[in-house]
Structures are given as C-alpha cells and as structure tokens.
Amino acid sequence: MTKAQETGGDDRWQRTLVQMMQGQAYRELAAVHLFGHGLQFVPEMRWLKLFTWHIREELEHYEAVARMYHDFTGESIEPVVNERLAARPVPLAASFYELAMAQFLYDRGGFWQLREYEECSFEPYRKVVRKIVEEERGHQALGERLVVELSLTGRYDADKQRLFERWLRQGLLSFGRPGSDGARYAVAIGLKKRDPAAVMQDFLDDITSAMRLCGLVFPSLAALGIEGPEKAPAAPGPESALPHTERSAGQSAA
C-alpha cells in the first residue's frame, strides 16, 4: 500500500504533494546537469573538488525525493523528471564566471524555496526537506564568494549584468507564481509556510549586499517576465539586458 492510500487524503491533497515532489526532483536533477556540464570550466583543483562534492550531494537529494515519491505513489519519478528536463532543459553555463553566478542565484533560490517546507504537514516530505536544507547551507557562501571575487577583477564587466539577470530569473522561477490558487491551498493545509511573494522578497533581500559589491543592479521583475513581490529591494535598473526570448516563459502556478 502506498503512502497516498494509507493517508486517505483527498484527491487535491494528493495531487499537490505529487506536484511538489515532481518539482523538487526536477530541480535537483537539473542542478546535477547544470553543475556537471560546468565542470569543464573550473580552472583550479580547489574549486573542482567543491563543485564535484556539490554534484554528488545534489544527486543524493534527487535520490531521496525519488524514494519518497515511490513510497507515496508506487511509481518511479524518473520518467516524469526526464520528460520535464527534455521539455524544459536547465540553462547551461558557458564560462566559470557564469557557473559561479548560477551557483550564487539558482542554487540559492532553491535553498530559499525549500525552507518553506521545513514545517510541512506531510511528515515524510518534512524529513527529506530538513535534511536537504541542512546540507544545502554549505553551498550558499561558495557561489557568492566566487561571484564577488571574480566581479571585482573587472574582467567580466561587459557580461556581468546580463548573466546576473539570466540567473536571477532562474532563481526566482523556483518559487512559483505569487497569489495563485495552488499556493493559497498549499499554505492553508500546512504543506508550505508562505506565499511565493514573501519568499521571493527574502531571497532578493539576501542577495542585495553581494549584488551591490559586484556593481550589479536589479532590473524590474516585470522586465524578467516574473510576477513578484510589490516591494523591491532596490530601485530597478535600466531595461533588462536579457533578450526578450529569455523573458517570455511564465512561472508555474504552484
């Protein structure tokens, strides 16, 4: 008997949990693909060791979510995640600087998103998330440190704003669409703590100091194609440096 059958939850509750698990598994495996591809750009042994450790940990997180999903549904999550990755492949870094920016923003966005499930009313999900969050804490300083150090060299001035916006958008997509019916339902039944807008705001506030050290500016979220919080952490900068094609895809409603 699966966990879904044991719990006796209604259809919407079960569908919401399935959606949460599928989304988390997608993000974990996407991170494996992203950082695995980026290893070719890592120039020094000290960084190579850290990034390979990170990849192994992300794969372990994917495996933990996959086990939970199988226990809950009786099915493998791999076909679903592989299909989603084929339809929506994660962007890949083209340089060490961009890999650092992805570590800083994509990975940190995932960390803030996961923290919203630390008190999840579904105990198996809560246990898995708490373990992942504790391990993810070790990644948070690495990307920020690298981006600040590399930005201050001045070698990346021509590209840094565009890459910042590209990976800021990817980080923000982790949270889903603020104010959606799905988000309200998940909060109401205790599966997560807050609406995505509040989580986005914490994430944006968290990266502001490093962003300013790097000489970067926040674009308006609308310019990135993101629905977000009303309060901006800083005055928006000029028109987004991203091509319009990178701003067009919408956010998930969950």
Side-chain angles (χ1 to χ4, degrees):
M1 181 178 290
T2 66
K3 284 284 194 307
Q5 293 167 327
E6 290 175 3
T7 56
D10 64 25
D11 286 346
R12 186 174 189 186
W13 180 84
Q14 292 183 19
R15 287 197 309 272
T16 301
L17 272 169
V18 165
Q19 184 181 27
M20 285 165 48
M21 293 179 199
Q22 289 176 348
Q24 189 58 44
Y26 166 80
R27 285 186 288 272
E28 300 293 352
L29 193 57
V32 173
H33 288 195
L34 165 62
F35 295 113
H37 172 84
L39 287 179
Q40 63 188 298
F41 305 115
V42 180
E44 298 176 43
M45 179 69 74
R46 56 176 178 150
W47 301 125
L48 193 60
K49 291 168 77 172
L50 285 169
F51 275 101
T52 53
W53 162 70
H54 184 185
I55 293 165
R56 184 171 62 251
E57 201 167 75
E58 296 288 1
L59 187 57
E60 289 172 358
H61 297 166
Y62 172 61
E63 186 178 20
V65 178
R67 283 196 301 268
M68 175 174 56
Y69 184 86
H70 185 269
D71 287 346
F72 188 72
T73 67
E75 300 174 357
S76 170
I77 203 169
E78 291 187 71
V80 176
V81 175
N82 289 335
E83 182 179 348
R84 187 176 296 189
L85 277 169
R88 293 169 47 199
V90 65
L92 298 175
S95 67
F96 184 51
Y97 182 72
E98 186 172 5
L99 185 65
M101 194 69 81
Q103 173 86 48
F104 176 35
L105 298 170
Y106 182 76
D107 205 45
R108 186 167 293 196
F111 173 76
W112 277 100
Q113 180 264 342
L114 273 173
R115 292 190 63 185
E116 293 303 298
Y117 302 102
E118 287 179 305
E119 306 301 328
C120 182
S121 57
F122 183 59
E123 191 264 351
Y125 202 92
R126 183 171 69 245
K127 284 180 64 176
V128 167
V129 162
R130 285 181 175 179
K131 182 177 186 298
I132 294 175
V133 165
E134 190 57 37
E135 292 174 352
E136 288 283 353
R137 291 185 195 279
H139 303 163
Q140 301 312 300
L142 174 61
E144 179 176 331
R145 174 186 170 189
L146 278 172
V147 167
V148 171
E149 287 183 2
L150 293 170
S151 295
L152 292 177
T153 67
R155 295 198 300 269
Y156 306 97
D157 286 354
D159 296 320
K160 66 183 182 181
Q161 183 66 32
R162 175 181 59 83
L163 294 177
F164 170 67
E165 292 183 20
R166 185 186 198 203
W167 291 100
L168 174 63
R169 184 177 189 280
Q170 292 301 317
L172 288 165
L173 284 171
S174 299
F175 306 121
R177 182 177 290 111
S180 71
D181 184 55
R184 285 193 295 270
Y185 174 76
V187 171
I189 61 173
L191 291 178
K192 66 178 184 179
K193 292 185 282 190
R194 299 180 296 169
D195 182 80
V199 195
M200 286 183 186
Q201 189 64 62
D202 284 349
F203 167 69
L204 292 170
D205 290 343
D206 185 43
I207 66 173
T208 296
S209 295
M211 179 205 75
R212 289 175 175 163
L213 279 173
C214 295
L216 297 162
V217 295
F218 278 117
S220 68
L221 297 188
L224 297 180
I226 296 288
E227 294 179 34
E230 294 181 7
K231 173 181 171 288
E239 168 68 9
S240 170
L242 284 179
H244 283 278
T245 53
E246 289 197 38
R247 305 179 226 161
S248 59
Q251 292 163 267
S252 168

